[in-house]
Amino acid sequence: MPDAAAPDTPTLSVSTAPVVPTAGVTAVLRPLPSGAELTGGFWADRIAANGTAIPLGRARLDEAGNIENLRIAGGAAEGEALGPVFADSDVYKWLEALAWEYGRTGDPALLTQLDEVTAIVAAAQRPDGYLNSVVELRRRPRYDGLGWSHELYCAGHLMQAAVAAARATGRRELLGVAERLAAHLAGTFGPGGRPEVDGHPVVEMALVELYRLTGTRRHLDLAAYFVTARGHGHATPGDADPTYFSDRVPVRDADDVEGHAVRAVYLGAGATDVAVETGDEELLAAVRRQFAAMVRRKQYVTGGVGSRWEGEAFGDPYELPTDRAYAETCAAIGLVQWAWRLLLATGDPAYADQVEHTLYNAVLPGVSLAGTEYFYANPLQLRTGARADDNRSPAHGRRGWYDCACCPPNVMRTLASLPSQLATTTADGLQVQLYAPAVLRADVGGELAVELATAYPWDGRVEVTVHAAPPRDVEVALRVPAWAQGATLDGRAVPAGDYARVRRTFAVGDRLVLELPTPARLLVADDRVDSVRGCVAIARGPLVYAAEQPDQADGAAVDDLRVDPLAPIIATHRPGLLGGVTVLETRGGVVRRRDGRTPYRRYARPHPPVEPVDLTLVPYYAWANRGPRPMRVWLPTM
Amino acid sequence: MPDAAAPDTPTLSVSTAPVVPTAGVTAVLRPLPSGAELTGGFWADRIAANGTAIPLGRARLDEAGNIENLRIAGGAAEGEALGPVFADSDVYKWLEALAWEYGRTGDPALLTQLDEVTAIVAAAQRPDGYLNSVVELRRRPRYDGLGWSHELYCAGHLMQAAVAAARATGRRELLGVAERLAAHLAGTFGPGGRPEVDGHPVVEMALVELYRLTGTRRHLDLAAYFVTARGHGHATPGDADPTYFSDRVPVRDADDVEGHAVRAVYLGAGATDVAVETGDEELLAAVRRQFAAMVRRKQYVTGGVGSRWEGEAFGDPYELPTDRAYAETCAAIGLVQWAWRLLLATGDPAYADQVEHTLYNAVLPGVSLAGTEYFYANPLQLRTGARADDNRSPAHGRRGWYDCACCPPNVMRTLASLPSQLATTTADGLQVQLYAPAVLRADVGGELAVELATAYPWDGRVEVTVHAAPPRDVEVALRVPAWAQGATLDGRAVPAGDYARVRRTFAVGDRLVLELPTPARLLVADDRVDSVRGCVAIARGPLVYAAEQPDQADGAAVDDLRVDPLAPIIATHRPGLLGGVTVLETRGGVVRRRDGRTPYRRYARPHPPVEPVDLTLVPYYAWANRGPRPMRVWLPTM
């Protein structure tokens, strides 16, 4: 926490992280008390770009009317509500980003903005604690049609912003608003009150975090109620199908994820929080089962989820089209939130692998290298001739904002708080989860501080130097991703998909060297994934690669490329390309064809000829920074 | 035309067909003056089943409120309008089916129904000719928001029903209603009037047919206006994207089909009618170009079109998923309407191939063997574990009716009028377009009548016996489908994809024998069709086949089947199966696998083992008549 905020605000939390399990619960891992300090490298660049976007976010929220809605509701202006019913939530997500960014940079201009908009929000709150500018301005009855009204969804985002403000800046005004609203909700919903649940989860994890920060038990109780009530039709409006709302099967009984993807993963995250705080092993087992089912049959190779445009939904098992992948940026963010909570709850490094993989390959593609434009949908293929017939269409390229602007401020808060996910701690150890140049400080009954030096993700070498350690055995654990076969720690082989652990009495200046081999890897998919049958995807280290049109040799359309699985793949770092990326080059083929009268022909007829060609691939996250040009993650083999 | 209706009603038309180009226009082919009489066989069975559904349609329209809406609008009842804004159109499509069915059967009960509902419709018409029960009852301003209001769409279906009633029953009351409405439209829209165009085409082809029947030129002029005005934003509501409404590019300039599939193909059909009646060669060339583009890159192997659930739309080129194929039944019907009009306009047998192929494999799958249940969407694959989370979801199986009930009465009118598409005529010839046991009568300056005997589509032998012929050279042309390589006529080789023509002076009792070879054919797709890369589809004669779960050997899940492209395929007719079908049996494989933790694995790892298994395939149209079980049209090769 920066000193600037310290004098007049007591520390309310032991951590500046978004997720801080209560002391004494069974969570296996905990966030570092003071987060982590990035000192450079890949993520520092991305987070710095995000920092330039946050002030622009304010301008967008002003232009789109979101902040004006709150001003009008607070009596400071006059007019009609603009935008969707959940317009307030975008303000709250942006406030959350502002708070984490202030926590990282200490920039006083951010604090000024936080205070100003907090005052606007506070003024819009009703004396009884109710708060929702759009419902008020449109004179809708409160909580009427909660399946679509998003009132608790907005409330949840407010609470998350308030927690961030308290933890990262020490400011408590927004926390006061959130607590009054939470008290209002506690007096309105749950046993003895209204039975409904918001159609869009998020309030569950928000209430748990508010409880974690304040210790007010009824926040946790209400979160537990909302998790338990779901699956009984309380979230589904009218005679709609409950699948969309994750309301068909109770969370405790569900074996899979289904319906609207963002709703489903936010619910999974909130249920995980409830399970951890209430010690509910059955509920924890249920959400682990659902997460595993998602990973097994419904996740893209990029980590993205929610394959259907129709209903922004999970599809049937193996329904993972590349061209029409929806893979909403917000769904990837929610997946990371869920995986992170499961990691803290269980200590299973497979969840950390999910956090890393999804951040690099499903969240980061959602934002431009400049940090200021966003994809809503993240396809794994853009065809030649793809038409942009929807404002979310990737054929438009990334856009600065959307009418339904859930994704941009969600990216902002995710990147601003990302340093909190670099490492975790236990009573006597430090676990490095993500690799980046950074200083990490844990309290293991005395400070255990290490510095990481690495060119990750371009290079798999990570040097860990001990800056401080208590005079007794403690453990430093370094995550070895499942892809890192042949990894070594100080020259000793360590298994992939687990932590490489060193337990000893460290001395200042001690060094550990982790080597994660990063040869390019060819991946194939289960043949039930129709869209990529006969194809390979290429990954290197934590990154999934893509063939993008601007990098291909003359005349070789991305649609027509072929990979030779036996050809060597050369990795070359190009500092001047796309902010500095390692490209992959290989010898493959290009189909030379003439279109027939139909796409179908007799089996016996020869396939069109394939001519040799050089292929160049770039990291998927960096695509569409040279215009929305044809791109493919999966390429057919020769 | 049955005698029952003849005494008191003059013949208004030379034909009982839905599409009758005006004498003197440049259409190459014309419908038979009196349609064709089916004497048995495949289509007769399907049309008989459809006949049982038509009375049920009345019950559905009563239950859903469609007819009551008209009653209320006519002052015969009180209440609010029920259903979607286009509710009237379902009544009109059903009336059209009723008329064609009466024309076929002469069943007086059908005429009684026609008269009764005609009176209800007539009473709902306003004195100035306006007619739309839902707009009236909901007190909406007329033609306000024509992008969505469907007022001209409903008008178009009324006109088509009125034309059918006049041609098939001689009843003119509905024609009077239609003409008054058409006069009202002529006084409201077009040059000097309102510039808007209905968001959903159909009125274009309806106005042309009304012109063809009545000779009233302004109907044609207004149709031509609506065709020409499209593509200039006149059909697009508010700031919506015009793609959905086929309103982005003028019809004359467009090179492809796009947007909502039913809208696009109905527009193509209407524009073809306008081109034929106005002698507009440029417009005809444009719609031929668009049809060819659709066939080349946007049509399923079944003939179905409109691959996207989102917006019920054409996708990008080669975007043809099997599991999420929307392939709406109505879009296939509209495609047949368009292809039939292009066939009449040009005489190109490729359009007749499209009519036949799409009827068998994209329209017919939309209705159950019983004739009374309907698919909205027609996927080419239903996976194990597919969830029904939408009322249109194929995982429900076919349903008796839908909230948006466009498809059921569209199937009814299509099947009831299907005999009119068996053959065409020129000044001195008869062209057989579809094969079925039937008597066909053409006027070639004297009667030319033939009888067809065939077990088509199960067997490719067609015997043509001359029943009447003028005493001079005339031509009998028999379509040889493009798939029928090796076809012979009276033992002489005839080219596939053209007509086998015999020109001579026929004598009564002359016989021609066409032999269309029907070995099973393995088809592969352009590799840009992601969903079927590495797969084959199997067709025989005009039918596309599918593997459906109930026919497979123990334990062989359809999801896991493999085809051996070199194995022989045995065709066996099974009279007791699915109403009598020829099944295909072959030796293939089944994958025995254990699911991994994710669907992705290193390229180098071995594929799961494949064990030999017998595969049985049934015609795709017959699937889901034993419950909605897993099914695949495309199967991976071994």
Side-chain angles (χ1 to χ4, degrees):
Chain A
M1 190 181 306
D3 290 341
D8 59 334
T9 51
T11 296
L12 292 170
S13 165
V14 294
S15 174
T16 58
V19 188
V20 185
T22 305
V25 301
T26 55
V28 175
L29 307 178
R30 291 171 186 285
L32 300 187
S34 56
E37 184 191 347
L38 278 169
T39 56
F42 183 93
W43 283 117
D45 289 349
R46 302 273 61 79
I47 292 169
N50 185 58
T52 69
I54 292 175
L56 296 177
R58 171 64 193 267
R60 302 292 193 181
L61 292 167
D62 280 328
E63 289 161 18
N66 303 61
I67 289 178
E68 189 68 3
N69 287 349
L70 288 157
R71 244 196 258 277
I72 298 167
E78 298 206 339
E80 300 291 312
L82 291 178
V85 67
F86 45 81
D88 289 356
S89 68
D90 296 333
V91 177
Y92 303 146
K93 278 191 275 192
W94 173 81
L95 278 173
E96 184 183 343
L98 203 67
W100 298 125
E101 186 70 2
Y102 174 76
R104 197 179 66 78
T105 65
D107 177 354
L110 295 167
L111 207 57
T112 304
Q113 291 252 332
L114 178 70
D115 290 343
E116 182 207 337
V117 178
T118 295
I120 294 170
V121 172
Q125 188 168 39
R126 294 296 163 238
D128 65 354
Y130 181 83
L131 174 54
N132 189 298
S133 75
V134 178
V135 169
E136 294 267 337
L137 298 181
R138 294 190 179 146
R139 290 172 184 77
R140 295 186 185 177
R142 290 178 179 184
Y143 308 125
D144 183 41
L146 204 57
W148 287 119
S149 80
H150 289 76
E151 284 159 283
L152 306 190
Y153 171 83
C154 290
H157 279 300
L158 170 71
M159 293 171 199
Q160 292 183 324
V163 167
R167 286 183 181 154
T169 76
R171 291 290 202 257
R172 301 187 66 173
E173 289 74 11
L174 203 59
L175 186 61
V177 176
E179 288 210 83
R180 285 189 292 278
L181 177 51
H184 173 74
L185 296 184
T188 307
F189 293 96
R194 300 176 65 133
E196 301 106 300
V197 184
D198 196 290
H200 199 316
V202 89
V203 74
E204 298 80 1
M205 53 177 149
L207 281 165
V208 172
E209 213 59 39
L210 195 62
Y211 158 73
R212 285 167 170 166
L213 178 65
T214 64
T216 306
R217 175 79 197 188
R218 64 180 172 182
H219 302 330
L220 176 61
D221 292 342
L222 187 57
Y225 169 75
F226 286 141
V227 167
T228 304
R230 219 170 187 93
H232 301 279
H234 295 312
T236 305
D239 57 357
D241 188 289
T243 308
Y244 176 89
F245 303 92
S246 290
D247 195 26
R248 190 179 65 88
V249 183
V251 180
R252 202 172 293 275
D253 302 331
D255 290 324
D256 203 351
V257 289
E258 63 182 28
H260 187 265
V262 180
R263 282 169 168 79
V265 294
Y266 278 16
L267 177 63
T272 304
D273 280 337
V274 167
V276 164
E277 293 297 328
T278 61
D280 188 336
E281 298 285 344
E282 184 193 56
L283 183 59
L284 183 62
V287 291
R288 295 191 72 173
R289 184 171 72 233
Q290 293 151 24
F291 193 94
M294 173 179 71
V295 170
R296 191 163 60 246
R297 305 192 302 179
K298 296 187 173 179
Q299 187 175 34
Y300 283 101
V301 73
T302 56
V305 292
S307 59
R308 282 189 192 171
W309 276 68
E310 180 85 7
E312 306 184 314
F314 283 105
D316 286 327
Y318 306 109
E319 183 193 320
L320 295 164
T322 58
D323 48 7
R324 291 291 285 176
Y326 196 69
E328 185 181 336
T329 303
C330 283
I333 289 170
L335 189 157
V336 169
Q337 294 174 353
W338 189 8
W340 181 254
R341 283 159 172 81
L342 288 169
L343 173 67
L344 296 184
T346 67
D348 183 342
Y351 296 121
D353 280 9
Q354 278 282 339
V355 168
E356 175 179 73
H357 188 75
T358 304
L359 278 172
Y360 275 111
N361 303 296
V363 174
L364 200 54
V367 60
S368 65
L369 295 174
T372 51
E373 293 83 29
Y374 307 88
F375 270 137
Y376 207 115
N378 293 279
L380 279 72
Q381 176 179 193
L382 187 69
R383 297 167 184 276
T384 301
R387 286 248 322 124
D389 54 3
D390 185 292
N391 69 30
R392 296 163 296 174
S393 170
H396 282 298
R398 295 182 186 84
R399 318 189 95 181
W401 209 249
Y402 288 89
D403 294 339
C404 176
C406 52
C407 296
N410 220 357
V411 169
M412 290 179 194
R413 68 182 186 140
T414 300
L415 290 176
S417 63
L418 188 138
S420 70
Q421 297 186 326
L422 290 180
T424 54
T425 182
T426 50
D428 64 350
L430 170 71
Q431 303 81 37
V432 183
Q433 307 291 358
L434 299 180
Y435 294 109
V439 175
L440 309 173
R441 291 189 176 82
D443 178 358
V444 291
E447 187 180 53
L448 173 60
V450 302
E451 177 159 13
L452 307 189
T454 183
Y456 200 88
W458 312 121
D459 186 281
R461 180 181 174 90
V462 182
E463 297 180 6
V464 182
T465 305
V466 176
H467 281 197
R472 55 182 178 80
D473 280 9
V474 294
E475 185 179 274
V476 172
L478 306 174
R479 184 178 60 90
V480 182
W483 51 259
Q485 288 166 24
T488 60
L489 179 60
D490 293 340
R492 168 178 59 89
V494 288
D498 202 345
Y499 294 98
R501 301 170 191 276
V502 179
R503 175 175 292 274
R504 69 174 191 235
T505 302
F506 288 96
V508 171
D510 277 3
R511 284 178 76 207
L512 306 173
V513 177
L514 179 69
E515 290 276 7
L516 303 172
T518 58
R521 308 188 302 282
L522 262 59
L523 303 174
V524 294
D526 188 297
D527 62 82
R528 286 169 292 189
V529 183
D530 285 341
S531 61
V532 304
R533 197 179 296 114
C535 292
V536 292
I538 303 181
R540 179 176 179 273
L543 298 175
V544 173
Y545 276 70
E548 198 182 9
Q549 196 59 61
D551 303 303
Q552 307 315 317
D554 279 357
V558 160
D559 310 68
D560 298 335
L561 294 179
R562 292 287 177 277
V563 168
D564 176 358
L566 303 178
I569 301 174
I570 312 301
T572 309
H573 196 70
R574 295 206 188 145
L577 181 67
L578 295 166
V581 295
T582 297
V583 301
L584 299 179
E585 291 165 297
T586 188
R587 189 79 177 158
V590 60
V591 182
R592 299 296 182 193
R593 57 180 136 214
R594 282 191 357 188
D595 286 354
R597 201 176 55 78
T598 87
Y600 312 107
R601 65 181 191 283
R602 297 276 177 113
Y603 178 78
R605 293 195 197 158
H607 285 259
V610 175
E611 296 172 8
V613 74
D614 291 324
L615 276 66
T616 301
L617 293 94
V618 296
Y620 170 64
Y621 78 80
W623 91 282
N625 279 283
R626 294 168 290 184
R629 303 286 304 280
M631 177 278 300
R632 295 185 79 158
V633 168
W634 290 94
L635 292 159
T637 54
M638 293 179 76
Chain B
M1 190 181 306
D3 290 342
D8 58 333
T9 49
T11 297
L12 291 171
S13 166
V14 293
S15 175
T16 57
V19 188
V20 186
T22 304
V25 302
T26 55
V28 174
L29 306 179
R30 292 172 186 285
L32 299 187
S34 56
E37 185 192 346
L38 279 169
T39 55
F42 184 92
W43 283 118
D45 288 350
R46 304 273 61 78
I47 291 169
N50 185 59
T52 68
I54 292 174
L56 297 177
R58 170 64 193 266
R60 301 294 192 179
L61 291 166
D62 280 329
E63 288 161 18
N66 303 60
I67 288 177
E68 189 68 5
N69 288 348
L70 287 158
R71 244 195 259 279
I72 298 167
E78 299 206 339
E80 300 290 312
L82 291 179
V85 67
F86 43 83
D88 289 355
S89 68
D90 296 334
V91 178
Y92 303 146
K93 278 190 277 193
W94 173 80
L95 278 174
E96 184 184 342
L98 203 66
W100 298 125
E101 186 70 1
Y102 174 75
R104 197 178 67 77
T105 64
D107 178 353
L110 295 167
L111 206 58
T112 304
Q113 290 251 334
L114 178 70
D115 290 343
E116 182 206 336
V117 178
T118 294
I120 294 170
V121 172
Q125 187 168 37
R126 293 297 163 240
D128 66 352
Y130 182 83
L131 174 55
N132 188 298
S133 76
V134 177
V135 169
E136 294 268 336
L137 297 181
R138 293 190 179 144
R139 291 173 185 74
R140 296 187 186 176
R142 289 178 180 183
Y143 309 124
D144 183 41
L146 204 58
W148 287 120
S149 80
H150 290 74
E151 284 158 284
L152 306 191
Y153 171 82
C154 291
H157 279 301
L158 170 70
M159 293 172 201
Q160 291 183 324
V163 167
R167 287 185 180 153
T169 76
R171 291 291 201 255
R172 302 185 65 173
E173 290 74 12
L174 203 59
L175 185 62
V177 176
E179 288 210 82
R180 284 189 292 278
L181 177 51
H184 173 74
L185 297 184
T188 307
F189 293 95
R194 298 175 67 136
E196 300 106 300
V197 183
D198 196 290
H200 200 315
V202 89
V203 74
E204 298 80 2
M205 54 177 148
L207 282 165
V208 172
E209 213 58 40
L210 196 61
Y211 158 72
R212 286 168 169 167
L213 178 65
T214 64
T216 306
R217 174 80 196 188
R218 63 181 172 180
H219 302 330
L220 175 61
D221 292 342
L222 187 58
Y225 169 76
F226 286 142
V227 167
T228 305
R230 219 169 187 95
H232 300 280
H234 294 311
T236 306
D239 57 357
D241 187 290
T243 308
Y244 176 88
F245 303 91
S246 290
D247 196 26
R248 189 179 67 85
V249 183
V251 179
R252 203 171 292 274
D253 302 331
D255 291 323
D256 203 352
V257 288
E258 63 182 28
H260 187 266
V262 180
R263 283 169 168 79
V265 293
Y266 277 17
L267 177 63
T272 304
D273 281 336
V274 168
V276 164
E277 293 296 328
T278 61
D280 188 335
E281 297 285 342
E282 184 193 55
L283 183 59
L284 183 62
V287 291
R288 294 191 72 173
R289 183 171 73 232
Q290 294 152 25
F291 193 94
M294 173 180 72
V295 169
R296 191 163 58 246
R297 306 192 302 179
K298 295 187 174 180
Q299 187 176 33
Y300 283 101
V301 73
T302 56
V305 292
S307 60
R308 284 188 189 170
W309 276 67
E310 180 84 9
E312 306 183 313
F314 283 105
D316 286 327
Y318 306 108
E319 183 192 322
L320 295 164
T322 57
D323 48 8
R324 290 291 283 176
Y326 197 67
E328 186 181 337
T329 303
C330 283
I333 289 170
L335 190 157
V336 169
Q337 293 175 354
W338 189 9
W340 181 255
R341 283 159 173 80
L342 288 169
L343 173 66
L344 296 185
T346 67
D348 183 341
Y351 295 121
D353 280 8
Q354 279 283 338
V355 168
E356 174 178 73
H357 189 76
T358 304
L359 279 172
Y360 275 112
N361 302 296
V363 175
L364 200 53
V367 60
S368 65
L369 294 175
T372 50
E373 293 84 28
Y374 306 88
F375 270 137
Y376 207 116
N378 293 279
L380 279 71
Q381 176 179 194
L382 187 71
R383 297 166 183 278
T384 301
R387 286 249 320 122
D389 54 4
D390 185 292
N391 69 30
R392 296 163 297 174
S393 171
H396 282 297
R398 294 184 187 84
R399 319 190 95 181
W401 209 249
Y402 288 89
D403 294 340
C404 176
C406 52
C407 297
N410 220 356
V411 169
M412 289 179 195
R413 66 179 186 142
T414 299
L415 290 176
S417 62
L418 188 137
S420 70
Q421 298 186 326
L422 290 180
T424 54
T425 182
T426 50
D428 64 350
L430 169 71
Q431 303 80 39
V432 183
Q433 306 292 356
L434 300 178
Y435 294 108
V439 175
L440 308 173
R441 290 189 177 83
D443 178 358
V444 292
E447 187 179 52
L448 173 59
V450 301
E451 177 158 14
L452 307 189
T454 182
Y456 201 87
W458 312 121
D459 186 281
R461 180 181 173 90
V462 183
E463 296 179 7
V464 181
T465 305
V466 176
H467 282 198
R472 55 183 178 79
D473 279 9
V474 293
E475 185 179 272
V476 171
L478 306 174
R479 184 177 60 89
V480 182
W483 51 259
Q485 289 166 22
T488 59
L489 179 61
D490 292 340
R492 167 178 60 91
V494 289
D498 202 346
Y499 293 99
R501 300 170 193 275
V502 179
R503 175 176 290 274
R504 69 175 190 233
T505 302
F506 288 95
V508 171
D510 277 3
R511 282 179 78 208
L512 306 174
V513 178
L514 179 69
E515 290 276 7
L516 304 172
T518 57
R521 309 188 302 282
L522 262 60
L523 302 175
V524 294
D526 188 297
D527 61 83
R528 287 169 290 188
V529 183
D530 284 342
S531 61
V532 303
R533 198 180 296 113
C535 293
V536 292
I538 303 181
R540 179 176 179 273
L543 298 175
V544 173
Y545 276 70
E548 198 182 9
Q549 197 59 62
D551 304 302
Q552 307 315 317
D554 279 359
V558 161
D559 309 69
D560 298 336
L561 294 180
R562 292 288 177 277
V563 168
D564 176 358
L566 303 179
I569 302 175
I570 311 300
T572 310
H573 196 70
R574 295 204 188 148
L577 182 66
L578 294 166
V581 295
T582 296
V583 301
L584 300 178
E585 292 167 296
T586 186
R587 190 76 176 158
V590 60
V591 182
R592 299 295 183 192
R593 54 180 137 214
R594 283 189 358 184
D595 286 354
R597 202 176 55 76
T598 87
Y600 311 107
R601 66 180 190 283
R602 296 276 178 112
Y603 178 79
R605 292 193 198 160
H607 285 257
V610 175
E611 296 174 7
V613 75
D614 292 322
L615 276 66
T616 300
L617 293 94
V618 296
Y620 170 63
Y621 79 79
W623 91 281
N625 279 284
R626 293 168 289 181
R629 303 286 303 283
M631 178 279 300
R632 294 185 80 158
V633 168
W634 290 94
L635 292 159
T637 54
M638 292 179 78

